[in-house]
Amino acid sequence: METAAATTTRVPAERRKRGRMSEPDVLIVGAGLAGICCARTLQRHGVGFRILEASDGIGGRVRSDRQDGFILDRGFQVLLTAYPEALDQLDYEALGLRPFLAGAIIRYHGHFLRLSDPAREPGAMLNNLFSPVGSVLDKYRLWRLRYDLAHVSIEDLFEAPETTTLQALRQRGFSARMIETFLKPLIGGMLLDSKLTASSRLFLLAFKMLTEGDAALPAEGIGAIPAQLAKDLPEGSVQLNTRVRSAGRREVVLESGEALAARAVVVAAEGPEAARLLGWGHTINSRSVSVLYFAAKESPLAEPMLVLNGGSRGPANHLCVPNLVQPSYAPPGEWLVSTTVLGWPTSDDKLLINTVRVQLRRWYGLVAQEWRLLRLYRIQHAHPVVYPLDWQQAPRLDAGLYCCGDHRATPSFQGAMESGRLAAEALLDELGIEVQPSSSEPANSAHRRSRPGAPPEAEVDDDD
Ligand SMILES: Cc1cc2nc3c(=O)[nH]c(=O)nc-3n(C[C@H](O)[C@H](O)[C@H](O)COP(=O)(O)OP(=O)(O)OC[C@H]3O[C@@H](n4cnc5c(N)ncnc54)[C@H](O)[C@@H]3O)c2cc1C
């Protein structure tokens, strides 16, 4: 087979239909969101591919397990419905998405304080303003941040000067109390970064997406997202339990020693593994997380909201009851409690479980002691550390060699999905195939609505 054709050509209709050829044109390493989205784009253009996946299933970090009638996502994750790439590629209705209530419950000085989103729950405005979580000016600054983000495109946002999230929050004038009690656990929980050293651009993207859409769970668990994306891939095009040992221009070598050739190779493995496969000589650091699931007879919460640790002792940063959002997450009469610990405070599982239990007992009383531990997930590489954020790294490394994944964009569903599509588009360009738009009908129209979020235009004295 020849490589790049000199001119851009349209894909013949019968080739588009065929989807997969007996010998793949492209080998994709990894069946996470990036690898799958790369494959979908190639398939749409009639380019044959095979995905080589080391593990026993698709989805990468986005997988769910079933245990005793519960759905356990491999780490607490939500789909932010405003992600442009998710809006374009997913069918939200088919996923049966249901949202968390916007806002949070904050554990603060021995009490639970409810802070809601006044743009969606105007009745709670006064309660919010005078809540001890931050000053009135902090609430205004929060409103102002939301307003500013509503008026800036993602592209412009990524052009903003880069600093740490903590620095960006300070520059916006948030008080230390507001940062410690609300912003740190909220944003730290989203970026899996308890110290807020993550990229300020990443924080702004996450906050923009959070305020412009919902944080939602699919009915069948978070793993339903890659399952939906992969459902129309040709049968046999994903080869599970196949670990790639090394990858180079137009060739990969499997752990078994077998060498496979193709017109192009796309490495869609997670950052540290991509660095190893491609021999970059440096690694990509990881943000780690542990998630503990408990089964309870009574729900500790009344509402489908996130509970944040606003500075109280204990390792858990946030907690929720997923079946208050999606009843399918737990069998009837039981409640699923999901608690997330950021970082890697200890390698001793027993110690971690005990300290989380102590914290939960302090928060919810003796009843928490009776909660049955369902499972502990330890996720060493949950997010890549990307600082400064270079959100659109070129996917083409060389002729016939491409790389995609969240470490090439932003650590998120959005970043992984978009990066996979862009890698495929760059590859199509090399193959001389004109990129076709994905769909003439915009999907998920109900979720494309813009939400009101403008703060009062009055001038406010910025001093605390
Ligand atoms: C606990 C947790 C919470 C998160 N929360 C959110 C959230 O709320 N919202 C959000 O947007 N994002 C969240 N994320 C981030 C998001 O899940 C990731 O950014 C995204 O899934 C990354 O997709 P990917 O395809 O780039 O990589 P991965 O999902 O890591 O896929 C890489 C694939 O490559 C395979 N592979 C690796 N090496 C090899 C090899 N040598 N040979 C063959 N196959 C190989 C792996 O098995 C894997 O399947 C969270 C992540 C975690 C872990």
Side-chain angles (χ1 to χ4, degrees), residues 30 33-34 53-54 60-62 77-78 83 244 270 273 406 412-413:
L33 294 179
E53 167 56 47
R61 276 166 269 167
V62 188
Q77 320 197 22
V78 290
Y83 281 147
V244 171
E270 64 277 13
E273 183 65 358
D406 63 349
S412 63
F413 296 175

Side-chain angles (χ1 to χ4, degrees), residues 69-125:
F70 292 90
I71 296 177
L72 308 181
D73 293 336
R74 292 190 183 177
F76 170 67
Q77 320 197 22
V78 290
L79 172 68
L80 298 182
T81 59
Y83 281 147
E85 199 68 20
L87 281 164
D88 284 348
Q89 296 212 40
L90 290 170
D91 178 346
Y92 287 180
E93 210 179 314
L95 286 171
L97 292 181
R98 288 191 184 207
F100 277 83
L101 271 185
I105 297 165
I106 297 139
R107 179 72 180 182
Y108 180 68
H109 284 303
H111 299 280
F112 289 110
L113 305 171
R114 193 175 181 282
L115 205 64
S116 53
D117 179 351
R120 304 186 208 198
E121 205 183 322
M125 180 95 80

Side-chain angles (χ1 to χ4, degrees), residues 385-458:
V385 176
V386 285
Y387 191 93
L389 182 71
D390 184 0
W391 67 294
Q392 268 189 336
Q393 293 179 54
R396 187 174 185 271
L397 304 180
D398 203 341
L401 184 61
Y402 294 78
C403 185
C404 59
D406 63 349
H407 59 104
R408 308 285 294 170
T410 57
S412 63
F413 296 175
Q414 162 71 23
M417 291 173 68
E418 185 184 34
S419 153
R421 174 180 57 78
L422 291 175
E425 289 179 2
L427 203 163
L428 290 168
D429 191 47
E430 181 175 323
L431 296 176
I433 297 171
E434 188 183 340
V435 176
Q436 305 292 319
S438 59
S439 159
S440 49
E441 285 294 308
N444 306 314
S445 46
H447 289 267
R448 288 179 191 270
R449 67 189 182 276
S450 60
R451 289 184 182 275
E457 282 299 290

Side-chain angles (χ1 to χ4, degrees), residues 137-145 172-174 462 464:
L137 271 171
D138 282 321
K139 314 297 166 36
Y140 168 77
R141 289 181 180 118
L142 209 52
W143 192 258
R144 185 78 222 183
L145 173 62
R172 282 197 157 259
F174 287 109
D462 242 12
D464 250 335

